[in-house]
Amino acid sequence: MLSDKIIVPLDVPTEAEAIALLDRLPQVSFWKVGLELFVSCGSGILTTLKQRQKRIFLDLKFHDIPNTVAGACRAAAGYGVDLVTIHATAGKEALSLAQQAAQEGAKIAGVAPPKLIAITVLTSLSARQLAFELKIPLELPEYALEMALLAREAGLDGAVCSPQEVEQLRQTCGDDFLLVCPGVRPSWAAKGDQTRSLTPAQAIQAGADYLVIGRPITAAASPEEAWERICQEIAAE
Ligand SMILES: O=c1ccn([C@@H]2O[C@H](COP(=O)(O)O)[C@@H](O)[C@H]2O)c(=O)[nH]1
């Protein structure tokens, strides 16, 4: 089902608000737990999601020295989640050790290992910021591709990229490399802090495996209607 390709982030500050969203949108099969909720409430929400047989994207975007990210990925894998993120800019050694540690953590916990995916370039960053604030001398699409290739060389399962880069990453990294796209915006939704967006239908056509769509659904007057509208728009293409 195309709707299973949509991951909805639980970007709320309390467990009660997260559970209210789960109750309101039982049709959503894949949820994302990110920094705000995990730092506020801890891992209890992961248990709740598993009890409801939901798939889980644990998006904590690890970025540290190799030994530390490996330890974090070992622990994250133990929760039995489906996807875990690390920044590609942690470097090849960190990525490779993190991947090994995720496999070990899952084995120790007796759960299936998560797919470890690397953040290439945050979807909020513009080409201008990359060049003038971060002083990256490559064009943004080229840099995103280099980060994805680094992740692939290190043995990771995939990458997080904006929908505007996904076609090129798909062509170069192949069909087996998982590509997850946040920064997706229906034509009728506000972009907010996302600078490199496409619509859900465009992102899927360009080769995304999964779309992360948050505020257009969760901040809508009717999240149910927003979800339905997005599903219809994807199906119509
Ligand atoms: O490059 C990235 C990586 C992660 N995210 C996360 O996705 C969602 C997007 O939410 P919206 O409300 O649809 O903007 C959010 O949880 C981010 O932490 C991202 O946007 N870009």
Side-chain angles (χ1 to χ4, degrees):
M1 270 214 300
L2 275 172
S3 59
D4 288 336
K5 285 178 170 278
I6 304 174
I7 304 174
V8 181
L10 287 165
D11 287 336
V12 288
T14 66
E15 196 163 347
E17 285 167 271
I19 289 172
L21 271 173
L22 299 185
D23 289 341
R24 203 158 173 182
L25 292 167
Q27 57 276 62
V28 176
S29 62
F30 210 154
W31 291 92
K32 184 171 90 72
V33 175
L35 289 166
E36 182 180 11
L37 186 60
F38 198 85
V39 172
S40 306
C41 308
S43 62
I45 188 66
L46 304 180
T47 311
T48 304
L49 285 163
K50 289 200 83 72
Q51 282 166 349
R52 296 183 184 213
Q53 282 149 2
K54 302 296 183 185
R55 286 181 295 160
I56 305 171
F57 176 7
L58 185 58
D59 182 24
L60 300 181
K61 298 186 187 69
F62 298 130
H63 194 196
D64 211 315
I65 62 171
N67 184 59
T68 303
V69 286
C73 285
R74 191 175 293 110
Y79 291 122
V81 296
D82 299 278
L83 296 176
V84 171
T85 43
I86 179 171
H87 277 280
T89 49
K92 194 170 176 182
E93 186 192 350
L95 295 173
S96 172
L97 284 180
Q99 176 69 341
Q100 286 170 36
Q103 301 292 316
E104 287 163 18
K107 199 170 176 189
I108 292 163
V111 295
K115 294 207 181 301
L116 185 61
I117 58 177
I119 307 286
T120 54
V121 180
L122 288 170
T123 56
S124 55
L125 290 170
S126 64
R128 189 176 169 77
Q129 284 176 295
L130 195 78
F132 294 103
E133 293 177 14
L134 306 187
K135 314 287 184 198
I136 304 288
L138 298 181
E139 294 294 325
L140 194 151
E142 192 186 347
Y143 184 64
L145 180 60
E146 290 297 339
M147 292 302 99
L149 289 172
L150 184 71
R152 196 180 63 157
E153 280 166 30
L156 265 65
D157 301 293
V160 176
C161 63
S162 100
Q164 293 188 7
E165 291 104 49
V166 72
E167 189 171 0
Q168 190 195 4
L169 265 60
R170 174 63 67 215
Q171 278 170 11
T172 311
C173 299
D175 286 343
D176 293 339
F177 198 65
L178 195 71
L179 293 173
V180 177
C181 291
V184 174
R185 287 289 182 268
S187 55
W188 41 266
K191 289 203 170 46
D193 49 7
Q194 300 289 1
T195 68
R196 310 195 315 280
S197 62
L198 291 181
T199 68
Q202 287 170 332
I204 286 186
Q205 276 168 5
D209 291 300
Y210 291 103
L211 314 179
V212 178
I213 311 179
R215 287 164 289 181
I217 298 170
T218 55
S222 167
E224 303 86 343
E225 279 175 24
W227 165 266
E228 196 50 44
R229 193 169 171 188
I230 290 169
C231 291
Q232 281 171 8
E233 287 177 7
I234 294 173
E237 286 299 317

